[in-house]
Amino acid sequence: MNSSYAIPAVALVVVATVLVGAFGLRISRTTSDFYVASRTVGPRLNAAAISGEYLSAASFLGIAGLVLVQGPDMLWYPVGYTAGYLVLLLFVAAPLRRSGAYTLPDFAEARLASPGVRRLAGAFVVGVGWLYLLPQLQGAGLTLTVLSGAPDRLGGVIVAVVVTAIVAAGGMRSITFVQAFQFWLKLTALLVPALFLVLAWQGDGAPGRPFEEPATFREQRSVRVDDALTLKLDEPLTVTVDGTVDGRARDGARVALPAGTHRIEAGTRLTFAADTPVPAAGRGADDALSPSRAESRTERPLYATYGLILATFLGTMGLPHVVVRFYTSPHGVAARRTTVAVLGLIGAFYLLPPLYGALGRLYAPELTLTGDADAAVLLLPDRVIGGVGGDLLGALVAGGAFAAFLSTASGLTMAVAGVLTQDVLPSRAVPHFRLGTLLAMAVPLAASALVGGLPVADAVGLAFAVSASSFCPLLVLGIWWRRLTPPGAAAGMLVGGGSALLAVAATMGGFPGGGGARHALLAWPALWSVPLGFLTMVLVSLATPGRVPPGTAAILARFHLPEELRAEELRAEEPRTEDPRTGDGRTDDGRTDRGPTVGAHTDGRRTDDVRVTDGPRKETTR
């Protein structure tokens, strides 16, 4: 790829992001502005912002890479990512907004009246947020390396600096505008090149079949192996080798490799003839000791598929950067409308990454061997179209990729910083929020230098599994089951989410050795950890019936009753006399009653830093 076009495109996206964020900073004044944009974000803007932050590195780069390597089975990823919002719409969106909370820990405490459950929920928010931030930083490093050959950590550092500045300066107000802008940029960055790629593919003399199994080199292709790997051959393969294979040095010789596993050392160049199937590749000092999620998917395809479906369907509702955006809606109806709009926006977007993966199987199959499958989206314009046109389209894709990293990292940093500020730091004031922002980004940035590179979609899939195992039971039972108790909620999150988190850590660390069923169970934990979380939460709650919080019925009524109905009931219960001059109802304390005030709870509690008075509304910072 010609970096003379791509690097300015990335720089332009970064500058535009800062400018849009500065616009949000101009209207951020109160603590509520920083946390939930004072709950004034309408459905259209909020849907674009949610879509912008949800479509992460996994969506922009990772899905295409998985489709390239493993074929059409990976289409479950975009299906699951989209369907998760349908589950969220049906069970969670409106009640969650009516809870009046700022964060998931706020919801846990409001529902269960337990500071302990709140702290536990906060710990899981931080853990899931940091786990989700890692692939964003890794994807940014990969993109900048492909574009310019820069060190793979530089891209992550750039994203971390820009995101920290935007979130710390303007909070939710700023990132709402940033994420909405970046969604449309990402959609354009994939859609426009995709049109040209499809036209070029159809104009090819032998377009081939994108999903043929296995992927095949359409022409003679030389592949340089930068990191040692193993090739797994089901059939004998003849290949030209310039380097070391199976411990023997070769100097441009044609080598017949028998079926089985073969060790390819770093720096070796392999030249494959046209129509040669792309062999399966594994990485690590001994692939048998460090099996990948892809290998477990091959060995246990049905189990892996159901584990993926369950994690993506149920994990969306517990993602901290997604949930916090519903608190910015004015009311429950707006939250539902926002979710419906999100379904349409991300459904349209997810038609595009699989197309890039399918074309990558035709035009860049060697990425399977080099370990750079996530770069397929970036490289295809140059491979398929070439020339200045390919460079310009590649620059557009590169700008969209950086927008993906920035928007998702902004939402995650905002969610984690909110929890750190409210539950860890000594004050909820804006200066401490900015300190929380620094902490929220510093830990995953340091970890990204230590953790090896799982494919970004796989890494995000692990975060979904932890979210589905911890927050999905808490939200579903907390909203729909009145017998949930604080001990039950805490036990369910610890058992379900904790076991999934341990499985994720084992998978990222390459344990257990030898692959097989044990590795599949750890690589795809949602299929057992989600039911375990629900079952534990229910059984412990039934065993502690005396711990059901008082006032649970009233709390659930607030979750489920429309705001207008609650306001009418409260007005009906409040004695009032009629003012003969105006006809307005007056309560016994003399206040005029003209219906509920926007931004205030109908039970009279202060919310959103707005105190309802007889005069104009006054905003006060904490």
Side-chain angles (χ1 to χ4, degrees), residues 205-296:
R209 293 176 297 169
F211 284 128
E212 62 185 348
E213 294 286 355
T216 302
F217 292 103
R218 302 170 68 235
E219 58 189 20
Q220 180 175 304
R221 183 65 56 86
S222 293
V223 180
R224 176 182 169 82
V225 177
D226 293 325
D227 297 311
L229 57 80
T230 57
L231 293 184
K232 296 182 178 180
L233 304 180
D234 295 327
E235 299 178 357
L237 171 68
T238 301
V239 62
T240 301
V241 179
D242 188 1
T244 304
V245 175
D246 294 334
R248 297 182 60 185
R250 309 282 186 173
D251 187 12
R254 295 277 293 175
V255 178
L257 300 177
T261 301
H262 300 274
R263 173 76 174 178
I264 312 297
E265 299 297 337
T268 301
R269 182 176 296 276
L270 305 176
T271 302
F272 297 88
D275 299 323
T276 300
V278 180
R283 297 185 178 277
D286 185 344
D287 194 58
L289 297 178
S290 56
S292 65
R293 293 187 94 211
E295 182 181 348
S296 69

Side-chain angles (χ1 to χ4, degrees), residues 541-561:
S541 293
L542 292 176
T544 55
R547 299 291 302 276
V548 175
T552 295
I555 293 173
L556 292 179
R558 177 153 59 91
F559 289 175
H560 295 286
L561 289 178

Side-chain angles (χ1 to χ4, degrees), residues 54 58-59 63 66 74-88 132 293 297 304-319 322 346 350 457-458 460-469 472 524-527 530:
Y54 188 64
S59 299
I63 291 175
L66 289 177
M74 296 301 97
L75 295 178
W76 277 113
Y77 270 97
V79 170
Y81 289 155
T82 305
Y85 273 95
L86 182 59
V87 178
L88 192 150
Y132 210 130
R293 293 187 94 211
R297 190 183 291 121
T305 298
Y306 282 119
L308 167 63
I309 291 172
L310 197 63
T312 52
F313 277 40
L314 301 182
T316 302
M317 71 174 67
L319 294 178
V322 171
I346 65 175
Y350 277 132
D458 273 354
V460 168
L462 294 173
F464 269 77
V466 176
S467 172
S469 305
C472 175
W524 307 95
L527 206 56
V530 172

Side-chain angles (χ1 to χ4, degrees), residues 390-404:
D391 291 337
L392 291 175
L393 293 174
L396 179 59
V397 172
F402 243 75

Side-chain angles (χ1 to χ4, degrees), residues 344-495:
L345 293 178
I346 65 175
F349 180 91
Y350 277 132
L351 296 174
L352 300 173
L355 174 63
Y356 281 83
L359 294 177
R361 292 171 68 83
L362 292 177
Y363 294 97
E366 75 281 359
L367 297 179
T368 303
L369 301 180
T370 63
D372 296 327
D374 289 330
V377 172
L378 302 170
L379 298 176
L380 274 175
D382 180 62
R383 293 287 179 87
V384 179
I385 298 172
V388 176
D391 291 337
L392 291 175
L393 293 174
L396 179 59
V397 172
F402 243 75
F405 312 139
L406 290 169
S407 59
T408 302
S410 297
L412 290 164
T413 304
M414 178 73 217
V416 174
V419 171
L420 292 176
T421 305
Q422 295 195 47
D423 297 318
V424 178
L425 298 177
S427 169
R428 299 184 181 187
V430 171
H432 285 92
F433 172 83
R434 289 169 175 156
L435 176 59
T437 302
L438 292 174
L439 294 175
M441 181 56 75
V443 172
L445 181 62
S448 66
L450 304 175
V451 177
L454 273 177
V456 291
D458 273 354
V460 168
L462 294 173
F464 269 77
V466 176
S467 172
S469 305
S470 54
F471 290 124
C472 175
L474 175 67
L475 288 169
V476 171
L477 296 178
I479 290 172
W480 296 99
W481 192 45
R482 67 177 59 236
R483 300 176 68 180
L484 181 67
T485 65
M493 282 194 291
L494 282 173
V495 173

